[in-house]
């Protein structure tokens, strides 16, 4: 494996071509908005003046202003912040407080390229911590150092990139690498630097044309997972290939198909033929696929057959070693199983609609609901419909939406606001991202209906900062809607005014809590406050405010268009309709799924997800993310239902569903979530600020073999107190992962106290050994970063436990599975 | 107007009234830390939580508005527990000692920093009174004490510990030779009498404090002179008998009776003593050899059978103290035990549940690294430990004592008596060590002309941030960072003097702990002024009396 120095050698040799890599000056390399050194910019004064001019002088412009400054300089230079105090009406208190509250803001210059290692749940259980430490070793970073000595790379972690099906995921300057292994980090960096030198890649998606009749449609997924899998390259290659053979087909970029475990996906629909789906398509495969379906003009039969055969060979090859080789797969039985039990309401037209094709959306009934609202229906009637449908908030708590709408409508106030909460922060969840990316018009329509129904004129979408593509698509969709009078001052020519804006988050999970979100919108630290008063009485700027989650709003157009029954006829007693989940973790077929309420967890895992891998056993599902709980396999027949899930200690949550198998340690999972909530706690109230930290201390003790039996009691007591006394939902639900694992996996806690980790996960409690199956191939010895394995060709290797850092590299490399964990 | 019920009592309040204020109207006090009248509720400490019927969890009463028909319980068991844990979480994340490590370590929990401060200021009579509040025999212990306190002294981590023992001796000797000796004020006679068996350090100390409490005390001992092991177990070269006598003398003046040569169990039985007195204290020293027990009180292990906390033996009116209860060869432990049994017995005589003296309630910084120590000692004179020149008899001269006193780092907290966190911690019996995790670094900022800022003591209640903003400070204060590491600081890393100009005093007043303290409250050491050289105090030429000189008849 090339070392980091080797990697940089060509770079220094080619300084003329790529001056950026070693001299510290930033490189354009395709990253959006090339960074400028703060020193070179006359103390950034001019820039700050311009930004303030553009974005405003009041507190509510603070976060966007900071985002602009950071975009330009790569961090927030102190001079810029101090100058901002002078030229705006924003207090130093707010600037200092806000700029240090949100995790996306940097106060120190970063390296030229920022490596973000995703630490979402799915990535965590698939080994993200090992990837992180491998990168640290590779970049030779000392304890707290985050930027490599030469200033080229800064290692960062991100809570979830929402590409859970590609886990573990590493993103470098917007380029996503999936299925990264600890020993593969060198390759990833090499690949990135080559790409950077070569001028980079673009990731823009154009608003597509509608398919003219009679032409075949080649649909290529452009959801984040697909793009991360390389679908933009596939798209270009496919267009070129089809162009070369002049095929009667149109390439159509489409939203998420949901089968994120198979990205990138290509679907070909020829008139009169069955739809063919290709999964895990590589750019190089595009041509072959094109030739397979479209007769290349001027090419002989023999050549065609040869090509087909090549593709067929790939078809049968199901053992693709990620990340460097994707093979092909066609729509088959497993895919039917994946899609069979699903019901698509929020994700209607999944994988068939171009996200930004307004005509396409309208052809499928889009904006009919809004039109009927503003022209025929009364707001109260619509609220009645929503109420009768039984729609409950899909953000987690499940508050009846109709009632919420009614309260805001009834509230008195000159100004009212509607907020679409798209600050999906649960690690391991990406439903809202997919919906925003794939169905921007539907979300906007739902938002518009809500705005109109509660009597507001202003609406805003608060979207998580990590979801760049979603923000881009929503902006585009808003512009298109305004052009077509679907939003704006005169909706459908009726004089109805619905103005929609976007606010990009800046990295704070707690802003998913509605009062924290509103504080953030007002340009303050995202500290939640006590409710009541509820936002419906006193929300944004103290005006009555409706806050609904993305998925909730995406369901609204369907309900209004097709009637309350659409939802009401699906589901259980109090949980109606469908729920979108991101199914990830140790499941064969992960992805974005939408299932009717009442379906059991087992059905989701076994039928849709295809169960866990061969030789593994299904142990539990983690549902609801950091606020949720772990449900053991024995309780997998619990239906997806707000009340049923609460009863067993979990919550519906926003829809993260991570499947765990017998190689997952439940303490490690609990600790993982607690690390998350502890990191994301706003720090306002004592139970959450200090309580979560102390619970984590106890879990750390347990996971490192220093636990005592009294710790379990202490943990439970502390969990109870944090739950009862915390100010907001984050703290109140933070103990759930602990309480459920304590309840259902008590034995595992006891095992850790005895110094054993049954799943072989907790580094301090395990040792690696090599069995007699070792063939002496030396692969492990060559790659061991700690030199703990002696180089003994053709002899059985041994691991020196005192040197071993438990990075798992040897076990993953071993061709004969001779490395065991004890 | 909303009417709400708190602890089964109803009150009608103005709309918009908080539960906290409504409770105050009923005379129900709900504890708070981050609340201050006139400042927006911070909902940070969560100590003011209450239970509201029909609502999930517990709610902060400082910010929850009373609604008509609300039923509130201000202090259920759940609430008490939640409050205690909130306090424990804050105490466990608090970088500051309430009382100095010397005092915590001292078996008698003597206020050593207080003594040192008074010595430094030349207020020696007050120093005597302070010391004798815990140790009746400072001149004695100042000679033979095992210096446990000096081992704990933080100055010792820097160069050498403060000579606490010699300073104590200095205070004791001052009293012995003082024109007016210290005599504690005894409370009016209670009419109760206590028999104390054993005139060693524990027995005499018990008598001393019981007498102060107003009980009449008779000390029985089989030897001829009082003092026990202090007289008969310590070489006179180490502890001259005249010193012992001089320190026992005030006991006689206080009206404590001494019956010499009376062997309890032989000359008089314990039953007789019990009949004659309202209670007995057995301070008979090490019981190692009396395996069969003492006068009917059995032996358990190496001690007489009695509760170590309450000192009570199986015979309810018989209490045990000193080495007879907690075997030790340190006189200071015996003295501490004497005071503790006096406290327990005083409660017993008043018909209450007996309880001995508790250890002083304190948070502990634990070990500091060299950098932290440097900061901690930044404003303390750094001269070496004062040595007594060879040839100088006795202990320190006053000048030497004051010089040595100046070396004290004053680890004790400036707001010991005013800290609301400590006060509530005590009230709720919150443990200061239950949640000891990795601690923050010790920092002390002395750059402000009026204030001392110790961020490690901050509980992030937000009062100062709010007050600074409300009072229109230009720069003010801000929360920096978030979550566990959130801190209060001046924006852009500017000095505190820039952040707080007008609001400094108001912020220090509002601070519930000592994170922001007025400099004037801050304990600090300074070198004695050179122009006022204090001569070594003159030993008055007078005869020292032998206390309890007359032998009294037995039985």
């Amino acid at each position: 494996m090339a070392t980091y120095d080797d990697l940089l050698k060509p770079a220094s040799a080619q300084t003329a071509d790529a001056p950026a890599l070693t001299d510290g000056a930033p490189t354009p390399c395709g990253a959006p908005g090339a960074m400028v050194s703060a020193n070179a910019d006359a103390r950034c004064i001019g820039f700050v003046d311009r930004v303030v001019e553009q974005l405003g002088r009041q507190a509510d412009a603070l976060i966007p202003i900071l985002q602009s400054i950071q975009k330009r300089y790569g961090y927030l230079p102190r001079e810029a912040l101090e100058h901002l105090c002078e030229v705006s009406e924003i207090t130093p208190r707010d600037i200092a407080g806000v700029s240090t509250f949100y995790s996306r803001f940097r106060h120190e210059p970063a390296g030229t390229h920022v490596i973000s290692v995703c630490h979402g749940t799915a990535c965590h259980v698939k080994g993200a911590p090992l990837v992180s430490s491998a990168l640290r070793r590779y970049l030779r970073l000392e304890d707290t150092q985050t930027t490599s000595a030469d200033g080229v790379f800064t290692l960062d972690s991100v809570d979830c990139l929402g590409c859970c099906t590609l886990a573990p995921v590493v993103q470098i300057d917007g380029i996503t690498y999936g299925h990264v292994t600890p020993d593969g980090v060198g390759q990833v960096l090499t690949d990135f630097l080559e790409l950077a030198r070569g001028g980079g890649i673009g990731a823009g998606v154009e608003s597509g044309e509608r398919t003219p009749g009679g032409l075949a449609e080649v649909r290529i997924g452009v959801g984040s997972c697909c793009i991360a899998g390389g679908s933009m390259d596939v798209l270009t290659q496919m267009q070129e290939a089809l162009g070369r053979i002049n095929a009667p087909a149109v390439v159509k970029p489409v939203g998420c198909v949901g089968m994120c475990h198979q990205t990138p996906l290509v679907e070909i629909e020829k008139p009169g033929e069955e739809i063919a789906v290709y999964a895990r398509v590589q750019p190089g495969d595009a041509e072959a696929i094109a030739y397979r379906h479209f007769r290349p003009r001027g090419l002989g039969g023999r050549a065609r057959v040869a090509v087909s055969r090549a593709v067929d060979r790939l078809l049968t090859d199901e053992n693709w070693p990620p990340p460097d080789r994707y093979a092909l797969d066609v729509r088959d039985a497993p895919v039917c199983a994946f899609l069979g039990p699903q019901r698509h309401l929020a994700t209607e037209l999944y994988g068939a609609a171009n996200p930004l094709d307004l005509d396409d959306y309208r052809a499928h009934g889009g904006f009919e609901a809004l039109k009927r609202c503003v022209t025929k229906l009364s707001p109260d009637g619509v609220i009645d419909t929503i109420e009768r449908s039984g729609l409950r908030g899909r953000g987690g708590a499940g508050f009846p939406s109709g009632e919420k709408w009614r309260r805001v409508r009834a509230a008195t106030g000159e100004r009212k606001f509607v907020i679409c909460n798209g600050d999906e922060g649960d690690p391991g969840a990406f439903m809202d991202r997919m919906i925003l990316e794939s169905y921007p018009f539907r979300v906007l329509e739902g938002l518009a209906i809500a705005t109109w129904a509660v009597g507001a004129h202003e609406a805003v979408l608060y979207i998580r900062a990590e979801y760049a593509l979603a923000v881009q698509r929503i902006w585009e969709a808003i512009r298109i809607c305004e052009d077509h009078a679907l939003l704006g001052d005169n909706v459908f020519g009726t004089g109805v005014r619905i103005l929609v804006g976007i606010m990009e988050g800046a990295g704070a999970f707690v802003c998913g809590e509605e009062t924290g979100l509103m504080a953030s919108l007002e340009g303050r630290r995202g500290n939640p406050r006590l409710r009541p008063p509820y936002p419906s009485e006193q929300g944004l700027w103290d005006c009555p405010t409706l806050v609904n989650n993305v998925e909730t709003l995406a369901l609204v157009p369907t309900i209004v268009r097709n009637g309350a029954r659409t939802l009401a006829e699906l589901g259980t007693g109090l949980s109606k309709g469908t729920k979108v989940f991101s199914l990830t973790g140790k499941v064969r077929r992960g992805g974005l799924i939408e299932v009717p309420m009442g379906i059991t967890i087992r059905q989701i895992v076994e039928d849709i997800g295809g169960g866990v891998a061969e030789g593994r056993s299904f142990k539990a599902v983690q549902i609801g993310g950091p606020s949720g709980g772990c449900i053991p396999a024995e309780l997998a027949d619990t239906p997806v239902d707000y009340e049923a899930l609460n009863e067993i200690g979990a919550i519906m949550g926003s829809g993260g569903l991570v499947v765990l198998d017998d190689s997952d340690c439940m303490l490690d999972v609990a600790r993982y979530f607690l690390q998350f909530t502890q990191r994301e706690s706003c720090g306002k109230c004592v139970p959450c600020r200090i309580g979560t930290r102390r619970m984590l201390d106890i879990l750390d003790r347990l996971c490192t073999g220093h636990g005592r039996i009294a710790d379990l009691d202490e943990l439970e007591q502390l969990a109870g107190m944090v739950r009862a006394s915390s100010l907001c939902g984050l703290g109140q639900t933070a103990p759930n992962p602990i309480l459920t694992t304590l309840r259902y996996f008590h034995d595992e806690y006891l095992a850790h106290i005895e110094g054993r980790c049954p799943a072989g996960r907790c580094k301090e409690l395990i040792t690696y050994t090599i069995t007699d199956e070792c063939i002496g191939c030396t692969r492990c010895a060559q790659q061991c970063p700690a030199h703990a394995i002696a180089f003994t060709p053709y002899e059985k290797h041994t691991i020196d436990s005192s040197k071993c850092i438990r990075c798992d590299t040897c076990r993953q490399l071993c061709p004969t599975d001779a490395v065991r964990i004890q | 107007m909303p009417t709400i019920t708190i602890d089964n009592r109803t009150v009608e309040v103005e709309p918009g009234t908080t539960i906290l204020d409504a409770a105050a109207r009923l005379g129900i006090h709900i504890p708070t830390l981050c609340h201050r009248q006139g400042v927006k509720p911070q909902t940070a400490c969560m100590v003011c939580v209450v239970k509201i019927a029909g609502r999930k969890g517990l709610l902060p009463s400082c910010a929850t508005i009373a609604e008509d028909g609300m039923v509130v319980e201000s202090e259920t068991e759940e609430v008490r527990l939640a409050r205690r844990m909130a306090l424990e979480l804050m105490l466990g994340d608090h970088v500051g000692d309430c009382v100095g490590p010397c005092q915590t370590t001292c078996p008698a929990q003597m206020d050593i920093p207080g003594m040192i401060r008074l010595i430094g200021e030349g207020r020696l009579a007050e120093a005597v009174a302070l010391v004798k509040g815990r140790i009746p025999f400072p001149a004695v212990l100042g000679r033979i004490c095992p210096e446990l306190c000096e081992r704990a002294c933080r100055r010792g981590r820097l160069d050498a510990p403060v000579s606490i023992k010699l300073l104590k001796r200095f205070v004791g000797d001052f009293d012995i030779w003082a024109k007016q000796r210290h005599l504690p004020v005894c409370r009016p006679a209670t009419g109760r009498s206590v028999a104390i068996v054993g005139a060693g350090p524990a027995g005499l100390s018990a008598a001393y404090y019981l007498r102060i409490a107003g009980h009449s005390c008779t000390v029985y001992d089989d030897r001829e002179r009082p003092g026990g092991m202090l007289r008969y177990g310590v070489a006179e070269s180490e502890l001259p008998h005249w010193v012992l006598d001089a320190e026992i003398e005030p006991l006689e003046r206080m009206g404590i009776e001494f019956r010499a040569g009376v062997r309890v169990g032989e000359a008089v039985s314990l039953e007789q003593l019990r009949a004659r007195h309202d209670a007995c204290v057995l301070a008979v020293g090490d019981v190692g050899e009396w395996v069969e027990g003492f006068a009917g009180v059995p032996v358990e292990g190496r001690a007489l059978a009695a509760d170590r906390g309450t000192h009570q033996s199986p015979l309810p009116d018989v209490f045990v103290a000193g080495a007879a209860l907690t075997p030790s060869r340190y006189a200071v432990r015996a003295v501490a035990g004497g005071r503790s049994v006096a406290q327990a017995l005083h409660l017993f005589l008043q018909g209450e549940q007996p309880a001995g003296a508790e250890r002083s309630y304190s948070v502990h910084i634990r070990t500091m690294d060299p950098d932290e120590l440097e900061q901690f000692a930044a404003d303390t004179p750094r001269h070496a430990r004062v040595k007594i020149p060879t040839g100088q008899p006795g202990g320190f001269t006053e000048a030497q004592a004051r010089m040595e006193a100046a070396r004290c780092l004053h680890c004790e907290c400036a707001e010991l008596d005013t800290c609301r966190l400590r006060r509530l911690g005590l009230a709720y019996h919150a443990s200061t060590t239950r949640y000891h995790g990795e601690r923050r670094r010790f920092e002390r900022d002395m750059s402000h002309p009026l204030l001392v800022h110790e961020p490690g003591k901050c509980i992030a209640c937000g009062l100062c941030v709010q007050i600074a903003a409300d009072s229109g400070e230009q720069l003010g204060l801000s929360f920096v960072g978030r979550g566990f590491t959130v801190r209060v600081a001046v924006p852009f890393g500017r000095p505190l003097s820039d952040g707080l100009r007008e609001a400094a005093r108001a912020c220090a007043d509002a601070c519930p702990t000592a994170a922001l303290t007025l400099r004037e409250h801050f304990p600090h050491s300074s070198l004695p002024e050179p122009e006022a050289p204090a001569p070594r105090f003159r030993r008055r030429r007078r005869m020292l009396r032998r206390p309890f000189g007359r032998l009294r008849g037995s039985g």
Side-chain angles (χ1 to χ4, degrees), chain B residues 295-317:
Chain B
V297 179
V299 166
E300 265 178 22
R302 292 176 51 222
L304 292 182
D307 187 296
R308 289 191 167 215
T310 65
H311 297 270
Q312 204 168 18
S313 77
L315 308 168
D317 57 340

Side-chain angles (χ1 to χ4, degrees), chain A residues 78 82 85 93 97 100-101 507 525 530 678-682 684-686 689 693-694 714 717 721 724-725 727, chain B residues 42-44 46 58 64 82 85-86 89 434-435 437 459-460 469 477-484 486 492:
Chain A
R78 192 171 127 179
E82 293 193 350
C85 292
R93 174 172 75 124
T100 57
F101 184 87
R525 293 165 62 85
L530 189 69
Q678 195 262 319
R679 198 167 56 234
E680 292 296 333
S681 163
C682 79
K684 184 172 176 175
C685 75
V686 165
R689 180 180 80 229
R693 176 58 170 248
R694 297 303 170 222
E714 184 65 80
Q717 277 189 38
M721 180 266 185
S725 290
L727 185 67
Chain B
Q42 304 293 312
T43 54
M46 292 294 174
L58 304 173
T64 306
M85 284 172 97
L89 288 171
R434 183 171 176 188
Y435 298 117
I459 57 166
L477 296 172
S478 171
F479 280 115
V480 172
R482 73 166 183 223
F484 187 68
V486 70
F492 315 126

Side-chain angles (χ1 to χ4, degrees), chain A residues 581-641:
Chain A
F581 285 102
S582 45
L583 178 63
T584 58
K586 303 296 180 61
V587 70
R588 279 190 228 205
R589 297 187 294 263
L592 187 82
I593 61 168
E594 184 168 2
V595 291
M597 298 272 192
I599 189 172
T600 66
I601 288 166
R602 193 180 304 283
Q603 279 173 293
I604 295 180
V605 174
E606 305 279 341
D607 299 349
I608 300 178
V612 295
E614 187 93 30
R616 290 276 162 218
S617 61
F618 167 41
K619 183 173 183 179
V621 294
Q622 207 288 338
I623 182 166
S627 309
C630 290
I631 301 173
E634 304 85 73
L635 289 176
D637 291 318
T638 308
V640 169
D641 170 294

Side-chain angles (χ1 to χ4, degrees), chain A residues 224-360:
Chain A
S224 285
C225 292
C226 281
I227 289 183
S231 72
M232 294 316 290
D233 282 349
V234 176
L235 190 111
T236 329
Q237 294 289 328
M238 187 62 84
Q239 269 166 341
E240 279 175 15
L242 293 172
R244 267 199 300 278
I245 56 175
N246 214 353
V250 183
V251 177
K252 177 178 174 185
V254 294
C256 181
V257 189
M259 287 160 46
C260 311
H261 58 295
Q262 303 283 49
T263 61
L265 282 160
V266 173
E267 198 176 49
I268 297 179
E269 186 176 7
K270 272 174 92 174
E273 279 184 29
E274 212 176 297
I275 298 174
V277 180
Y278 291 86
R280 301 196 177 218
V281 181
Q282 282 201 299
D285 301 326
E287 195 168 22
I289 296 169
Y291 290 178
R292 193 165 198 260
H293 287 268
F294 305 99
R295 186 178 294 267
R297 289 179 193 171
L299 264 180
R302 269 183 65 184
R304 199 173 67 240
V305 171
V307 168
S308 291
R309 208 179 275 151
V311 178
D312 286 340
R313 188 169 52 75
L314 291 171
L315 261 170
T316 55
D317 180 7
E318 287 190 344
N319 262 338
W320 45 79
D324 42 11
R325 224 169 79 58
Y326 294 90
L328 294 171
D329 193 10
V330 290
R331 172 166 279 188
D332 55 9
V335 175
C336 293
F338 182 79
L339 296 172
Q342 300 197 41
R343 289 283 176 282
H344 297 278
L345 296 180
T347 58
E348 199 180 5
L349 302 177
Y350 69 98
N354 180 339
L356 288 173
D357 186 344
L358 179 63
D359 295 333
D360 196 6

Side-chain angles (χ1 to χ4, degrees), chain A residues 661-783:
Chain A
D661 67 20
D662 55 346
S663 68
D664 290 309
C665 168
M666 301 315 285
L667 271 75
D668 182 63
V669 171
R671 176 161 76 148
Y672 165 78
F673 281 112
L674 208 62
Q675 273 167 348
F676 177 81
T677 33
Q678 195 262 319
R679 198 167 56 234
E680 292 296 333
S681 163
C682 79
K684 184 172 176 175
C685 75
V686 165
C688 176
R689 180 180 80 229
I690 314 177
T692 53
R693 176 58 170 248
R694 297 303 170 222
M695 288 195 282
L696 182 61
D697 286 348
I698 297 175
L699 276 178
D700 281 345
R701 277 210 293 277
L702 291 166
C703 289
T704 51
H706 298 107
R708 288 165 296 142
I709 196 89
D711 282 338
L712 300 190
D713 237 25
E714 184 65 80
L715 201 54
E716 198 158 356
Q717 277 189 38
L718 199 49
M721 180 266 185
V722 172
R723 172 142 85 171
S725 290
S726 290
L727 185 67
C728 80
L730 185 143
Q732 286 161 9
T733 56
N736 285 353
I738 293 187
L739 288 169
T740 49
T741 47
L742 263 177
R743 182 162 153 197
Y744 299 120
F745 299 95
H746 203 80
D747 288 352
E748 235 173 292
Y749 277 86
L750 294 178
H752 280 76
I753 289 170
E754 290 162 14
R756 285 184 299 116
C757 175
R761 270 268 167 174
C762 295
K763 277 189 178 182
E764 283 80 0
L765 303 181
I766 54 172
T767 47
Y768 280 78
T769 49
I770 297 176
T771 65
D772 290 339
E773 284 154 56
C774 174
I775 51 169
C777 73
T778 73
R779 280 174 77 175
C780 56
Q782 288 177 51
Q783 296 294 334

Side-chain angles (χ1 to χ4, degrees), chain A residues 66-384:
Chain A
L66 294 177
Q67 282 165 337
S68 302
I69 297 176
Q70 170 142 325
K71 202 165 190 175
R72 183 161 171 100
Y73 300 107
Y75 74 110
L76 300 175
R78 192 171 127 179
E79 301 79 39
L81 298 185
E82 293 193 350
H83 185 65
L84 179 59
C85 292
E86 287 164 27
V87 296
S88 71
E89 284 162 36
I90 308 168
T91 62
R93 174 172 75 124
D94 283 342
I95 296 175
V98 168
S99 67
T100 57
F101 184 87
Y102 298 94
S103 61
R104 301 283 285 191
F105 293 133
R106 292 176 178 282
H107 290 261
E108 299 293 331
T112 317
H113 306 293
V114 178
I115 308 173
S116 304
V117 180
C118 177
H119 283 270
T121 321
C123 290
H124 179 81
V125 298
K126 292 206 169 168
L130 300 174
V131 171
S132 253
S133 40
L135 277 165
R136 293 197 75 84
R137 282 196 304 275
Y138 197 81
L139 296 172
R140 305 221 184 93
L141 299 177
E142 306 286 330
D143 306 329
T144 54
Q145 204 186 348
T146 53
T147 302
S148 57
D150 50 21
V152 175
F153 287 109
T154 289
L155 184 63
D156 201 0
S157 65
V158 55
D159 286 324
C160 188
L161 290 167
C163 303
C164 309
T165 51
L166 302 177
V169 176
V170 170
Q171 197 178 59
I172 311 179
D173 288 355
I175 299 172
T176 310
Y177 291 87
H179 304 300
V180 180
T181 53
D183 60 310
V185 296
Q187 268 169 282
V188 167
L189 295 188
T190 316
D191 182 73
F192 172 80
L193 285 177
E194 268 166 25
L195 214 59
R197 282 184 205 121
I201 57 163
V205 181
E206 297 303 314
S207 165
E209 297 290 312
R210 262 197 85 208
T211 319
L215 283 185
E217 232 178 50
V218 179
R219 300 176 192 141
I220 299 180
V222 289
S224 285
C225 292
C226 281
I227 289 183
S231 72
M232 294 316 290
D233 282 349
V234 176
L235 190 111
T236 329
Q237 294 289 328
M238 187 62 84
Q239 269 166 341
E240 279 175 15
L242 293 172
R244 267 199 300 278
I245 56 175
N246 214 353
V250 183
V251 177
K252 177 178 174 185
V254 294
C256 181
V257 189
M259 287 160 46
C260 311
H261 58 295
Q262 303 283 49
T263 61
L265 282 160
V266 173
E267 198 176 49
I268 297 179
E269 186 176 7
K270 272 174 92 174
E273 279 184 29
E274 212 176 297
I275 298 174
V277 180
Y278 291 86
R280 301 196 177 218
V281 181
Q282 282 201 299
D285 301 326
E287 195 168 22
I289 296 169
Y291 290 178
R292 193 165 198 260
H293 287 268
F294 305 99
R295 186 178 294 267
R297 289 179 193 171
L299 264 180
R302 269 183 65 184
R304 199 173 67 240
V305 171
V307 168
S308 291
R309 208 179 275 151
V311 178
D312 286 340
R313 188 169 52 75
L314 291 171
L315 261 170
T316 55
D317 180 7
E318 287 190 344
N319 262 338
W320 45 79
D324 42 11
R325 224 169 79 58
Y326 294 90
L328 294 171
D329 193 10
V330 290
R331 172 166 279 188
D332 55 9
V335 175
C336 293
F338 182 79
L339 296 172
Q342 300 197 41
R343 289 283 176 282
H344 297 278
L345 296 180
T347 58
E348 199 180 5
L349 302 177
Y350 69 98
N354 180 339
L356 288 173
D357 186 344
L358 179 63
D359 295 333
D360 196 6
Y361 181 60
R362 295 191 77 165
H364 289 99
F367 283 107
E368 262 173 36
L370 178 64
K371 188 174 183 180
R372 274 186 39 218
C373 282
V374 294
T375 52
K376 291 191 187 128
L377 303 175
S378 75
D380 287 314
V382 171
I383 294 176
D384 274 344

